[in-house]
Amino acid sequence: MFEEVDLSLTTPVIRDEDSVFPGENWFFYWKTSASLWRVKLESLTGVKRILVPINWAFHSDTGEKYDFAEEKPETDLKKLVTIADECGIEVVFLVPMTPCPFLTNGGLPSLLARTPMIDEKGRVQAVIDKDGNLNKLYSFFDPRVYRAYGKFAKELGRYFSTKGISCDVWGMECGQISLDGFVSTIKDYSPVYQQGFSKFISAKKDEDEALVGVMTPDQEYYLAYEFLTTIRSIYADACEVGLSGNWEGIIQVGLLGGSQEDFFKRIHQRESISQYSFDLLESVSLEVLPSSLLLPHRLKKGVLGKMLEQLVTSSFLEYKFAHTSFDEDITSQFSPKRFFEVYDLTPDVSPDISGWADLGLWDYLQKYYSWCYSDMGETEFKWDEEKDSNRIFFFHGITMTKVLFHNILKTFMSGGQVILNRSGLDIEYQRKLEAFFIENDLEVEKVKLGTTLFNASLGDGRFLVFDGDELVDFEQKKAMEFWHKVLATFKVNHLMALAPEGVQVSWKVRGPNTQELSYEEVRRMSIYNPSSYKKKFKFSIPRNFKLIKVIDEEKVHYVHGQNEIEIELLPEGSVSFDFGVFS
Amino acid sequence: MSVEAGRQVLTAVYGPYYMGKRADGYEIIAIFNNSGLCQETHLEDIFENQFSKVPKVLHDGGIGPFEGLEDIQKYCFSLCQKYGDEGVSLVSLDSYNKVITDAFTGEELLNELALKGNYIKNPEAGKSGFLSGIFS
């Protein structure tokens, strides 16, 4: 990874817009006078929707008494919605359900900011905001906080209902992207957490005799997860009940620059655009909304700004918040291209069990399929025939439940493609699976590829079962070869571009318009060089890909041959290619 | 001895190392310089050279265990020499938490850590360490 240091000699001028519009169509209503809201919103061009986080501390100092348009005019959310409506802009409200790193005290009213959050090593938690300030975070495990939060959600809901505010409201879970994926900011090991957890364990021991005595590390791990889930649900339930008429669900927001690794760079005023670019793409693959709220404006002028605009503002926001699905408006809007949906181990599974990372899958997909996958983590799987018919789904047998088993079979029977790691699969499901193959008279092929693969086909459907335990000890190269051979047997219609280290490639897709009817879909390949070095590479164009146009060229030189494109990207260079794709 | 702020200093935050629930020696919780957290491969190499054993705790910016504070001092000084940093500042976890709680900006945090830490100067600073040219 390469780091960039701001070497500019002029003092950056802080523009008001940077505070009010900190990026990706977020709007901080408390950062400007209510009398200027109209002017600010009218100044936006081509913006259909703004994201408005509700600043708990701005409406209450104590957590007891609330101000919604009673004292400060800037707390008048009804007025904000009316103005936005008159400007043709939809407002989407986000209610924080976790500490918010971009707000002072993590967004807590000052009287409630009493117990600093602590990580598992005992360090007090803080983040660096876009102005270099230290925002300290306070525990959401403090009973005073969750009691007050219940009141806040109730008051907010009452205000929305009384004023007839009909905008969508999402619960916002803030976090950062790390090697372990999305890590929520609610995670905490402070004394209030420890006290709460001890009480939780005592209550559990009263309920369950098996827990009495000294607990095993696994038992403690499961209970810690259950405790975290319980506290998280207190906040989610309070929001959902209080705002039931507007409630849309929970959205995770990944704050670039918010991790501990970033913190120790950012206190030295060092920023790593390469790392943020990587985290942005990782965030999108995790279905987490990436956000640059912690980053200074100067960083968003170059290639990172372009990535934020192209991949978040113009694509991911629509994908997440638009009322009309992409399927209904398939010709005008690009959405992230996905070939694979990967369901990983649920957090209640012991950390000693091998996940997809241990089996080398992520390394392979990142290298050969350039972020064209969704890391679904612990999300519950639901089959959607309309949307998912061409995707390949990955599951772990150890997380199998009755509902998941039923859904997997339904997926396969409907023409879906499934890869199942049978390691840890309960004997009951193994028998059911065998019975299913026999009852449906399916021929099961056996192939030896380091591990034994069982493959069944039914129409377009594929069902491939392997034993992950036999893969764990594979060297990286052997694991890559394994996945390459396995996935080559699936019909994945992809242009593989192996970009050099530091260069990011991203794919989006849309349906063909009336001039493009010879194609099944149009794919946009965007290439970014966030590194400080010139990068050069080339890739072949498969026969069923036709280059339609080249756009957004910035610090790039390319040569387009019959079957190949050769690219030279200067630092901060980027370019996008639109391909028409047919069978 | 305190250190002048703004210089290239290696800062190490150390705390107790726990075996189960029992403290058993120390570990480095965060070790960083101007480039951010030190990479685990660099930390590991020096640990193995110095103590002829494999660390039980190892990640970017973290390593351990150490039997005593003197071992941490020696280890950090070796690392400081390898990086070519001007000195190393050792800060206990309690001091770190106090400083971060009281500071308002990243710059203030660094200045206070420099003042509160136990500073050991590297007389070899400026002469090239094997990592200084590339990683600093």
Side-chain angles (χ1 to χ4, degrees), chain A residues 3 116 118 121-126 128 132-136 220 260-261 263-265 267-270, chain B residues 21 27 29-30 32-37 57 59 93 96-97 100-107 109-110 136:
Chain A
E3 290 154 18
I118 287 184
K121 295 288 184 189
R123 284 178 300 199
V124 166
Q125 294 294 282
I128 300 285
N133 298 315
L134 269 182
N135 279 350
K136 278 147 261 181
E220 196 165 329
Q260 278 294 292
E261 289 76 16
F263 177 78
F264 288 102
K265 282 195 176 112
I267 54 175
H268 292 95
Q269 296 171 348
R270 284 194 176 236
Chain B
K21 304 220 166 180
E27 68 174 277
I29 290 167
F32 56 94
N33 61 11
N34 292 18
S35 304
L37 291 173
V57 177
H59 50 84
L93 180 61
Y96 173 81
N97 282 345
I100 200 169
T101 304
D102 294 341
F104 290 98
T105 64
E107 194 181 354
L109 172 69
L110 281 178
S136 296

Side-chain angles (χ1 to χ4, degrees), chain B residues 32-102:
Chain B
F32 56 94
N33 61 11
N34 292 18
S35 304
L37 291 173
C38 301
Q39 288 178 23
E40 69 171 57
T41 47
H42 303 162
L43 297 179
E44 188 179 22
D45 286 348
I46 290 168
F47 190 93
E48 286 179 6
N49 279 342
Q50 199 151 0
F51 302 110
S52 305
K53 61 181 178 185
V54 179
K56 288 182 189 164
V57 177
L58 180 65
H59 50 84
D60 281 356
I63 193 159
F66 299 89
E67 282 179 15
L69 292 179
E70 204 173 308
D71 285 343
I72 292 189
Q73 273 184 1
K74 279 183 195 160
Y75 174 81
C76 290
F77 190 68
S78 301
L79 193 65
C80 171
Q81 285 182 312
K82 294 286 184 191
Y83 277 115
D85 287 333
E86 293 180 32
V88 57
S89 177
L90 298 174
V91 185
S92 70
L93 180 61
D94 286 346
S95 297
Y96 173 81
N97 282 345
K98 172 91 178 61
V99 167
I100 200 169
T101 304
D102 294 341

Side-chain angles (χ1 to χ4, degrees), chain B residues 115-135:
Chain B
L115 289 169
K116 296 277 158 56
N118 178 11
Y119 184 69
I120 308 164
K121 194 176 176 192
N122 173 18
E124 301 291 305
K127 300 170 190 173
S128 58
F130 87 106
L131 297 173
S132 61
I134 306 167
F135 298 101

Side-chain angles (χ1 to χ4, degrees), chain A residues 256-310:
Chain A
L256 306 177
S259 73
Q260 278 294 292
E261 289 76 16
D262 298 327
F263 177 78
F264 288 102
K265 282 195 176 112
R266 301 190 67 207
I267 54 175
H268 292 95
Q269 296 171 348
R270 284 194 176 236
E271 307 278 2
S272 174
I273 291 176
S274 292
Q275 185 64 51
Y276 302 151
S277 308
F278 182 89
D279 290 348
L280 190 162
L281 287 158
E282 171 96 14
S283 193
V284 171
S285 82
L286 286 160
E287 304 280 326
V288 169
L289 175 66
S291 167
S292 67
L293 298 179
L294 292 177
L295 302 182
H297 184 72
R298 65 183 162 79
L299 289 187
K300 304 183 217 172
K301 287 179 180 164
V303 70
L304 182 63
K306 199 167 223 183
M307 290 178 79
L308 287 163
E309 168 56 33
Q310 293 176 351

